[in-house]
C-alpha cells in the first residue's frame, strides 16, 4: 500500500544519508591520521601504508629518496619565535610541492625534516630534484625570514626502507657539516 511505500522510501533516504555521513567522517579521520596538521604533508603513517604486508619493504622499487632539513632551525625559533618557525616549515612544504610531481610522496619526518619519495627516478634525477628545491629555497623572498636547507638524496632499490633513509641521513649530515645550503648524494 501507499503508506508502506512511503515508509520504505523514507527509511532508504535516512539510511543513505547516514551511510554518506559515516563515509565522510571515516575519510576525514583517515585524512587526519595520514597528514601532518601544520603542513598538510603526509606523516610517517604514510610510509607504513606504502609497505608490503607487515614489513618495512615498500611496494615500489627504484625510487629516489630525498631527505632534507632546515639549517639552523633552532636559531630561527629562538630569534623570531615559534610562529615564524612554523611559517618557515609551511613555506618549505609549499616549495617542495612546487618542485615535485603529483605522484611523488612528501612525508614530514618530524620537526623541520622532510622525506620526499620520487618513484622511478635514478640518483642523478633525484639529486636534480633536491637541487631544484634547494635553489627555490635560496631564492625565496616570500618567507618570514631567510632560511637555507641541506639535502641528502639516495636511491631505494628494495628491502627495508629504513636503510635508504639512513643512507640519505648520512648524506644530509655530511652536507650540514661541510656547508649549509648543499645537496650531497649518498652513492
Amino acid at each position: 500500500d501507499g503508506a508502506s511505500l512511503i515508509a520504505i522510501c523514507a527509511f532508504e533516504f535516512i539510511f543513505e544519508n547516514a551511510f554518506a555521513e559515516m563515509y565522510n567522517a571515516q575519510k576525514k579521520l583517515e585524512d587526519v591520521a595520514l597528514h601532518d596538521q601544520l603542513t598538510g604533508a603526509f606523516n610517517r603513517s604514510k610510509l607504513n601504508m606504502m609497505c608490503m604486508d607487515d614489513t618495512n619493504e615498500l611496494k615500489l622499487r627504484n625510487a629516489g629518496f630525498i631527505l632534507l632539513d632546515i639549517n639552523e632551525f633552532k636559531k630561527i625559533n629562538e630569534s623570531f619565535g615559534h610562529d615564524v618557525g612554523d611559517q618557515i616549515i609551511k613555506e618549505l612544504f609549499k616549495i617542495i610541492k612546487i618542485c615535485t610531481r603529483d605522484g611523488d610522496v612528501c612525508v614530514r619526518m618530524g620537526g623541520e625534516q622532510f622525506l620526499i619519495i620520487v618513484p622511478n627516478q635514478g640518483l642523478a634525477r633525484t639529486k636534480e630534484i633536491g637541487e631544484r628545491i634547494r635553489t627555490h629555497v635560496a631564492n625565496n623572498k616570500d618567507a618570514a625570514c631567510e632560511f637555507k636547507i641541506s639535502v641528502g638524496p639516495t636511491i631505494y632499490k628494495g628491502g627495508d626502507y629504513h636503510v635508504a633513509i639512513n643512507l640519505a641521513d648520512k648524506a644530509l649530515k655530511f652536507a650540514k657539516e661541510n656547508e649549509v645550503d648543499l645537496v650531497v648524494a649518498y652513492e
Side-chain angles (χ1 to χ4, degrees), residues 122-134:
L123 188 58
R125 181 73 180 115
T126 300
K127 194 174 175 182
E128 284 176 18
I129 295 166
E131 182 61 35
R132 184 175 21 188
I133 295 167
R134 189 207 60 77

Side-chain angles (χ1 to χ4, degrees), residues 35-49:
H35 290 88
D36 171 58
Q37 289 182 342
L38 178 66
T39 62
F42 287 111
N43 61 33
R44 289 174 181 239
S45 298
K46 178 65 174 176
L47 291 171
N48 295 333
M49 288 188 66

Side-chain angles (χ1 to χ4, degrees), residues 69-141:
D69 197 292
I70 299 171
N71 296 319
E72 301 177 341
F73 187 69
K74 185 177 178 187
K75 285 184 183 178
I76 292 171
N77 277 335
E78 289 171 353
S79 300
F80 300 100
H82 291 279
D83 288 344
V84 170
D86 286 350
Q87 289 175 18
I88 295 301
I89 290 170
K90 289 192 271 189
E91 185 67 26
L92 176 56
F93 179 62
K94 188 170 96 177
I95 290 169
I96 290 169
K97 284 175 49 177
I98 290 168
C99 295
T100 55
R101 307 167 299 175
D102 285 341
D104 299 339
V105 176
C106 181
V107 176
R108 184 170 176 207
M109 297 298 285
E112 70 280 7
Q113 192 172 77
F114 290 88
L115 171 68
I116 305 159
I117 301 172
V118 289
N120 303 314
Q121 297 297 324
L123 188 58
R125 181 73 180 115
T126 300
K127 194 174 175 182
E128 284 176 18
I129 295 166
E131 182 61 35
R132 184 175 21 188
I133 295 167
R134 189 207 60 77
T135 301
H136 267 75
V137 168
N139 295 328
N140 183 22
K141 304 297 181 217

